[in-house]
Amino acid sequence: MTIADVRTTDAASAATQTMTMAGALNRALADALEDSREVLLFGEDVGKLGGVFRITDGLAARFGEDRCFDTPLAESGIVGTAVGMAMNGMRPVVEMQFDAFAYPAFEQVVSHVAKLGNRTRGAMRLPMVIRIPFGGGIGGVEHHCDSSEAYYAHTPGLTVVTPSTPQDAYSLLRAAIDSPDPVIFLEPKKLYWTKGEVDASRRTELGTARIVRDGTDLTLLAYGTAVPIALEAADAAAEEGRSVQVVDVRSLSPFDDATVTAAVRSTGRAVVIAEAPGYVSVASEIQARVSERCFEHLEAPVRKVTGFDVPFAPPKFEHWYLPDVDRVLDAIDSLRWEDE
């Protein structure tokens, strides 16, 4: 646990439970609805169906269809409605059913969601969350599997975060809903069914990275679905005598330079891992920032392992497109080791 992770003292919520990431997100939404009448959930099929991935399962029945409700298939309208609600004191949480389905709402996001606070010199804030299932690993076709994080991280005025564990799914979503400003919450759908311990009393600050595994020889920097790949690669590298540190970046904007640079300086070598294409990407930005801030500490160039610069692959070829352990190990081997 980093200094950014704190626990509340509410004994009733302190019990730790094992749940899937999907279950942790559902619990976070339910707890937010319970805590504040200002919180509303809406989107395509999030009501009676409970969402395509069942993240909102049971919430309409529990809290009523005035608090969790379905919308027309109109993403721009969904986000525009959320903007109006947030301007009038509500805390809307909207779901874009799949990553590439969000593009029709992109104009609303960049022109209004991201800019209204600045446009009014802070007089009007937008406390709203846009939940977006993103990334591959489920065998979906192109409009259902995309890594769109660079578009949002590039847009000033947006906080962009993504969890890699059930605990972070819960804690980050609660923090996002509590934020006075808009948050793009990217949910790695490949990890929806992974399980882990969740302490509902734990809170996480937005804008912070997390040290997942300690190591002394090199640092792997990852987020979302790339974090389990990094951990698996660290295990494999350990069998070859490498001590590998793993950092879950988790906050793409704002970026936690302090944690990331301290980690890389402590090892002198770094590899960035992400699913999205590498050109003009979040991964390339991390690579550049680390190279600039850690230059005098680096023993080798910072490498990156990403998806390829092509449209997302069809389901049968997905495994060729997504970063895997072998590609990460190849990048590790290229880091100018003195004993080789």
Side-chain angles (χ1 to χ4, degrees):
M1 184 172 70
T2 70
I3 59 173
D5 295 322
V6 297
R7 285 184 169 85
T8 67
T9 57
D10 184 356
S13 63
T16 299
Q17 296 179 303
T18 299
M19 60 182 71
T20 64
M21 180 179 286
L25 293 167
N26 180 275
R27 170 72 185 273
L29 293 170
D31 288 352
L33 287 164
E34 187 73 44
D35 288 349
S36 174
R37 288 287 303 177
E38 296 174 351
V39 177
L40 298 171
L41 312 182
F42 55 97
E44 298 165 7
D45 297 321
V46 304
K48 292 181 179 180
L49 180 65
V52 171
F53 297 100
R54 303 299 186 267
I55 305 303
T56 56
D57 187 38
L59 299 182
R62 178 177 171 185
F63 295 97
E65 293 187 1
D66 58 332
R67 304 281 311 282
C68 179
F69 55 88
D70 294 328
T71 66
L73 306 183
E75 287 78 11
S76 182
I78 293 169
V79 174
T81 299
V83 170
M85 288 181 169
M87 291 172 67
N88 286 278
M90 306 304 291
R91 289 182 177 270
V93 181
V94 302
E95 178 182 303
M96 301 285 101
Q97 198 169 69
F98 287 94
D99 29 41
F101 287 13
Y103 297 145
F106 195 66
E107 191 277 332
Q108 289 277 7
V109 173
V110 299
S111 295
H112 304 296
V113 175
K115 292 183 172 63
L116 192 61
N118 183 71
R119 185 182 301 148
T120 62
R121 298 183 181 181
M124 183 168 288
R125 312 283 286 273
L126 288 183
M128 58 180 288
V129 179
I130 302 176
R131 295 179 40 244
I132 304 177
F134 90 118
I138 64 167
V141 293
E142 59 181 4
H143 288 96
H144 301 77
C145 290
D146 204 1
S147 294
S148 51
E149 60 266 31
Y151 302 128
Y152 303 109
H154 179 75
T155 305
L158 299 176
T159 294
V160 185
V161 297
T162 180
S164 67
T165 66
Q167 178 65 64
D168 267 0
Y170 180 89
S171 299
L172 284 174
L173 186 52
R174 291 301 307 272
I177 296 171
D178 289 342
S179 174
D181 296 306
V183 179
I184 304 296
F185 194 87
L186 300 169
E187 300 172 5
K189 45 184 165 314
K190 180 182 179 181
L191 303 183
Y192 273 147
W193 301 278
T194 59
K195 291 184 177 181
E197 297 294 309
V198 176
D199 181 353
S201 69
R202 184 182 294 181
R203 293 290 181 268
T204 299
E205 292 181 16
L206 300 176
T208 62
R210 179 174 68 98
I211 306 297
V212 180
R213 174 185 174 127
D214 291 324
T216 57
D217 291 335
L218 69 124
T219 301
L220 300 180
L221 303 169
Y223 59 88
T225 57
V227 174
I229 299 297
L231 289 169
E232 189 176 348
D235 288 337
E239 296 178 1
E240 301 175 358
R242 311 281 193 214
S243 176
V244 180
Q245 182 184 53
V246 177
V247 178
D248 181 356
V249 172
R250 75 181 176 182
S251 180
L252 309 186
S253 180
F255 188 76
D256 187 354
D257 281 303
T259 298
V260 171
T261 55
V264 175
R265 287 173 182 172
S266 73
T267 65
R269 293 177 173 85
V271 177
V272 186
I273 312 168
E275 279 192 11
Y279 182 69
V280 195
S281 63
V282 171
S284 60
E285 172 63 19
I286 296 173
Q287 185 183 40
R289 296 174 84 90
V290 170
S291 297
E292 291 172 359
R293 291 160 173 77
C294 303
F295 183 79
E296 295 181 353
H297 300 265
L298 292 173
E299 301 291 339
V302 179
R303 305 296 190 193
K304 68 176 184 287
V305 178
T306 68
F308 298 110
D309 297 327
V310 298
F312 196 87
K316 289 185 178 180
F317 298 100
E318 189 179 50
H319 64 288
W320 296 109
Y321 174 85
L322 298 174
D324 60 16
V325 171
D326 287 340
R327 289 176 60 196
V328 176
L329 293 176
D330 286 344
I332 291 173
D333 289 342
S334 73
L335 294 178
R336 296 182 182 175
W337 300 98
E338 295 178 0
D339 57 349
E340 294 178 354

